[in-house]
Amino acid sequence: MTSSLSSLLARSTITDHEEVLRACNAALKESKNDVHAQHVKAVALLQLNRFDESVRVFENAGNRLKSEAQLEYAYALYKVGKLEGAEKTAKELGGEGERGARHLQAQASYRLENFADAKNIYEGLAQSPGEEENDIRINLNATFAQLLWKREGHLVTKMKAEREDLEVFETAYNTACISIARGELGQAEVLLKRARDLCNAADELAPEQKEEELLPILVQQLYVLNTLGKTEEAESLLKSLSIESVPDLASRQLAQTNRLATKSESTNPYLTHRLLSTLPSLPKSDKLFGFQQLLADQNRIAVDLACSKFDGIARSTGKTLRTRSSTSTSPMITSISSANAAAHAQNQLGKLGLKAILPLTEKRPCDVGLVATVVQLYLLTENKGAAIQVVEKLLRHLDELQTAAEQDVRFSPGLVAMIVSLYSLDGRRSHIRTELAKAASYWKHKSKASLNMLRSAGLSLLEHGTQDGLQTAGEIFENLREADPSDRYARAGYIAAYATTDPSKVSDDVDSLTSIEKLTAGIDVAALERDGIPQTGTSTSTLLKRKRTGAPLEKPKKKRVRKSRLPKDFDPAKKPDPERWLPLRDRSTYKPKGKKGKQKQSALTQGSSDKPSEGANAGSEQPKSTVVTGPSGGGGKSKKKKNKK
């Protein structure tokens, strides 16, 4: 039977896998342990895309078939979504002579989001390229984009698009994804148009294949246009995109999400919530990547908040935060913390939102996402001082923690950038130098340090100019040079740090700097001296200095009195009566009318009458004193007449 199977396989072609499968089944009825027939059956099932059945054949056959057909077994595991097993099996088989196994291992690592491992494998394959050189470049560009989206950009060696990337639509598309991950959306838009044109012009593709290849390009274009605010172009592109015909479920879900993000279809949150709930569920073998799933979850939470589902969001996010440590800068944890705060505040901003959120900081003092939300609310109310106090309190709590992971959170680039930005808004330059120096001393000997943060710390220490600061800056830039000898920024900082303290150490590097003549070429010195230096505005320190010295910033303007508020008989030459605001009976010129009024005035114990007394000198004049009225000493009540003006 084995000989008849071999003769059948010799006569078979790529289109008769069903016939091969029937022959294998007939052979296995005669001998269940025929390894050759089992192997051929598993391969035939792979060719027919019946991957689950192929895996069952391998599992039922035992270890002998798995060891003899490791590559086929690894591929079957990969296709059914058992990525860990596929990666492990391909890694055991992979070697210099097994390029197929190394490709499969790289693909499994890519789907497992072990992008650093996938990058290393593809770079190793690229050093000894074969017929698949173009495929390696395509997959390596895709890996670079994923590393950037995973915030591991320090592993990416590709800085800009190359000419080879614009020759085929696959590399142009992946290079556009790299630009999107870096936030360079304008360049991404150009590259996506190039990829679309190249795909339309590809004669080797059938119309059905061309349509299938165009779909992810159009979906990515839709995202870029929406993000750039080009809503009309996005809606026009959406009309030409048949989302329901997308065969790949993950791409279809992304396309539907991008359609909902357009302005015309997202005005009603309840309708958006209903449409999001109708998105297809994805199988395990076709799931979204981590950063895509994170954005999808954030979209659902945002729509739930817009629909006022505050209690449900507070319960679900609170449960997640209780099971996981909130002392993390993970995008998932910080976004969940922020959503939990928004649910407790019921989408209220300002003082009302802060009143609901601030008690949570006492329960979760090391929650980075919660503190970031509180800082944002304080900044919306223009209260920089309170925002700084909240972040400083968080840093003090993190300083008390001891584990390496918690210390990584304390000196994480995002958290350091937050406090440095707040200090910059408040003009606290010395605090900025101190914080950057602490972060630099922590990260300078670690491999996963942020290059931008180390550069900023070194520059700040150089500007300060102290002996210790220059020494620390020199160490920082020296480590940066060791990591990347071609880094011109690090070389310039290294020279600046040791130029005054140890010139002999940098004497060989000075010539590598750009000459002053080249830097100043094209600058008109005479015009600069003639025009002077433009003033960008008054600094905060200058304003404070003026306030301390008492110098007025500008003369106060005289208040113009409106004519409509002046009396009709107003005479500007006549001095107004200073007692015009007092009631008539309280003025010094008040004279009561009638007999009772005069008797009442003469009976007063304070003041004097208008006429001089009889015992007074005829030549002397008695000054008038102010009459202070008070209640009379009788038991009856006297009626007071109110004077109306």
Side-chain angles (χ1 to χ4, degrees):
M1 194 68 178
T2 303
S3 59
S4 62
L5 177 61
S6 300
S7 60
L8 177 62
L9 292 175
R11 298 193 307 270
S12 66
T13 64
I14 198 170
T15 59
D16 57 3
H17 299 299
E18 290 286 358
E19 185 179 353
V20 172
L21 183 61
R22 285 193 294 270
C24 291
N25 289 332
L28 290 172
K29 284 182 180 179
E30 298 292 332
S31 175
K32 294 182 179 180
N33 298 325
D34 188 345
V35 178
H36 181 63
Q38 291 171 341
H39 186 186
V40 174
K41 180 179 180 180
V43 174
L45 291 171
L46 290 176
Q47 295 289 352
L48 294 171
N49 295 334
R50 294 159 65 175
F51 305 112
D52 291 313
E53 296 179 42
S54 180
V55 171
R56 283 198 294 270
V57 170
F58 280 105
E59 297 295 339
N60 295 331
N63 294 330
R64 183 179 175 185
L65 178 61
K66 293 179 183 178
S67 60
E68 289 187 4
Q70 276 186 299
L71 183 59
E72 292 86 346
Y73 179 52
Y75 182 74
L77 292 174
Y78 173 78
K79 295 301 291 185
V80 297
K82 297 182 178 180
L83 301 175
E84 293 85 356
E87 184 186 36
K88 180 180 178 181
T89 305
K91 188 175 181 179
E92 293 174 353
L93 181 63
E96 292 297 328
E98 289 290 345
R99 294 182 68 88
R102 295 174 68 192
H103 275 286
L104 183 57
Q105 181 189 352
Q107 286 290 332
S109 299
Y110 183 87
R111 289 301 305 172
L112 286 169
E113 302 189 29
N114 298 329
F115 302 117
D117 295 339
K119 165 186 168 289
N120 293 333
I121 296 172
Y122 283 127
E123 287 180 341
L125 291 170
Q127 291 178 358
S128 56
E131 297 179 355
E132 76 282 15
E133 181 179 358
N134 190 45
D135 294 337
I136 293 174
R137 183 184 298 110
I138 293 171
N139 293 337
L140 190 57
N141 283 345
T143 306
F144 286 153
Q146 293 288 356
L147 284 170
L148 289 168
W149 272 315
K150 201 177 178 181
R151 306 190 181 187
E152 295 179 355
H154 60 283
L155 299 175
V156 178
T157 57
K158 188 182 187 69
M159 295 293 107
K160 59 181 180 180
E162 300 172 356
R163 178 176 296 181
E164 294 81 2
D165 298 328
L166 305 178
E167 294 178 353
V168 293
F169 70 89
E170 294 98 331
T171 52
Y173 171 77
N174 287 337
T175 307
C177 292
I178 293 175
S179 298
I180 294 173
R182 284 184 171 143
E184 301 168 351
L185 298 181
Q187 183 177 356
E189 183 183 8
V190 175
L191 290 170
L192 287 172
K193 288 181 180 178
R194 174 68 176 173
R196 185 177 178 180
D197 295 339
L198 289 172
C199 187
N200 285 322
D203 297 331
E204 68 275 8
L205 295 177
E208 297 79 10
Q209 294 176 320
K210 190 176 294 185
E211 183 179 357
E212 185 177 349
E213 295 290 349
L214 277 173
L215 285 172
I217 299 175
L218 297 176
V219 171
Q220 205 70 276
Q221 267 190 304
L222 187 62
Y223 167 77
V224 171
L225 292 173
N226 274 327
T227 309
L228 289 174
K230 298 182 178 181
T231 309
E232 295 181 359
E233 295 183 34
E235 291 179 352
S236 176
L237 178 64
L238 189 61
K239 293 177 182 178
S240 64
L241 182 61
S242 178
I243 296 178
E244 288 71 16
S245 63
V246 179
D248 183 50
L249 291 179
S251 298
R252 188 189 306 173
Q253 186 177 110
L254 294 175
Q256 290 176 333
T257 303
N258 286 331
R259 179 175 64 182
L260 293 176
T262 56
K263 183 178 180 181
S264 61
E265 298 190 20
S266 60
T267 54
N268 188 337
Y270 299 96
L271 178 60
T272 304
H273 182 274
R274 180 181 177 184
L275 294 174
L276 274 178
S277 62
T278 61
L279 294 179
S281 58
L282 301 178
K284 187 178 180 180
S285 59
D286 196 20
K287 62 180 181 179
L288 297 174
F289 287 103
F291 78 96
Q292 293 173 329
Q293 189 61 53
L294 174 64
L295 294 175
D297 294 340
Q298 289 176 351
N299 287 338
R300 288 187 174 88
I301 290 175
V303 172
D304 287 343
L305 289 173
C307 295
S308 302
K309 296 187 175 183
F310 303 123
D311 293 337
I313 294 296
R315 284 194 301 269
S316 61
T317 54
K319 182 179 179 181
T320 304
L321 292 174
R322 284 191 296 271
T323 57
R324 302 192 182 191
S325 174
S326 59
T327 308
S328 171
T329 56
S330 165
M332 184 190 72
I333 298 298
T334 53
S335 62
I336 288 177
S337 298
S338 180
N340 182 264
H344 280 87
Q346 297 186 354
N347 289 345
Q348 297 180 106
L349 302 177
K351 295 181 178 179
L352 293 177
L354 287 168
K355 184 178 180 181
I357 295 175
L358 284 177
L360 298 177
T361 59
E362 301 298 330
K363 300 178 181 178
R364 307 199 301 268
C366 297
D367 192 330
V368 178
L370 178 60
V371 170
T373 306
V374 173
V375 168
Q376 186 67 25
L377 291 179
Y378 271 130
L379 291 179
L380 290 175
T381 58
E382 299 182 358
N383 193 345
K384 298 188 293 290
I388 292 174
Q389 290 178 2
V390 171
V391 181
E392 288 179 339
K393 185 178 179 181
L394 168 65
L395 296 180
R396 286 194 296 271
H397 283 294
L398 293 174
D399 284 332
E400 297 173 357
L401 304 178
Q402 301 298 328
T403 64
E406 292 165 339
Q407 286 301 298
D408 285 350
V409 173
R410 164 62 181 87
F411 295 105
S412 60
L415 195 53
V416 172
M418 183 192 300
I419 188 62
V420 166
S421 299
L422 292 173
Y423 283 151
S424 179
L425 288 175
D426 209 35
R428 306 185 188 184
R429 304 185 67 85
S430 61
H431 290 73
I432 293 175
R433 285 192 296 269
T434 303
E435 186 61 34
L436 287 175
K438 288 181 182 179
S441 62
Y442 179 80
W443 288 110
K444 64 182 180 181
H445 296 302
K446 294 182 179 290
S447 59
K448 56 181 180 179
S450 170
L451 297 181
N452 290 331
M453 186 180 66
L454 290 177
R455 288 175 177 177
S456 300
L459 179 60
S460 177
L461 293 170
L462 285 177
E463 292 175 349
H464 190 38
T466 61
Q467 189 72 19
D468 295 337
L470 292 175
Q471 181 66 28
T472 307
E475 295 174 359
I476 292 172
F477 287 117
E478 187 173 3
N479 293 334
L480 291 176
R481 287 190 66 188
E482 292 176 358
D484 185 8
S486 62
D487 190 347
R488 293 184 295 175
Y489 190 99
R491 183 169 63 249
Y494 176 76
I495 295 172
Y498 290 110
T500 56
T501 58
D502 192 358
S504 61
K505 196 171 184 178
V506 296
S507 57
D508 297 335
D509 296 311
V510 173
D511 296 335
S512 63
L513 294 177
T514 307
S515 63
I516 297 177
E517 291 77 11
K518 188 175 181 179
L519 291 173
T520 57
I523 297 178
D524 191 346
V525 180
L528 288 176
E529 292 181 348
R530 182 181 65 253
D531 298 338
I533 301 174
Q535 298 294 330
T536 58
T538 307
S539 63
T540 307
S541 59
T542 306
L543 289 174
L544 293 174
K545 186 176 180 181
R546 287 183 181 177
K547 289 182 179 180
R548 293 191 191 102
T549 55
L553 295 178
E554 58 182 12
K555 293 182 179 180
K557 296 181 180 180
K558 293 183 179 180
K559 188 175 181 181
R560 183 176 63 86
V561 181
R562 296 181 181 179
K563 293 183 179 181
S564 60
R565 293 184 179 180
L566 297 175
K568 294 182 179 180
D569 56 348
F570 175 72
D571 185 4
K574 185 178 179 182
K575 185 178 180 180
D577 184 7
E579 298 180 352
R580 63 188 182 278
W581 308 113
L582 298 174
L584 285 175
R585 63 178 178 272
D586 293 341
R587 301 182 189 180
S588 59
T589 57
Y590 174 67
K591 295 181 179 181
K593 296 180 180 180
K595 184 176 180 181
K596 290 184 178 180
K598 291 180 180 179
Q599 290 178 354
K600 183 180 178 181
Q601 185 181 17
S602 61
L604 295 176
T605 59
Q606 296 182 6
S608 61
S609 61
D610 292 341
K611 294 183 179 181
S613 61
E614 295 180 338
N617 247 350
S620 64
E621 221 177 60
Q622 294 290 339
K624 296 180 180 179
S625 61
T626 304
V627 177
V628 181
T629 60
S632 58
K637 296 182 179 179
S638 61
K639 294 182 180 180
K640 295 182 180 179
K641 186 177 182 181
K642 295 184 179 179
N643 296 314
K644 295 183 180 180
K645 295 180 68 177

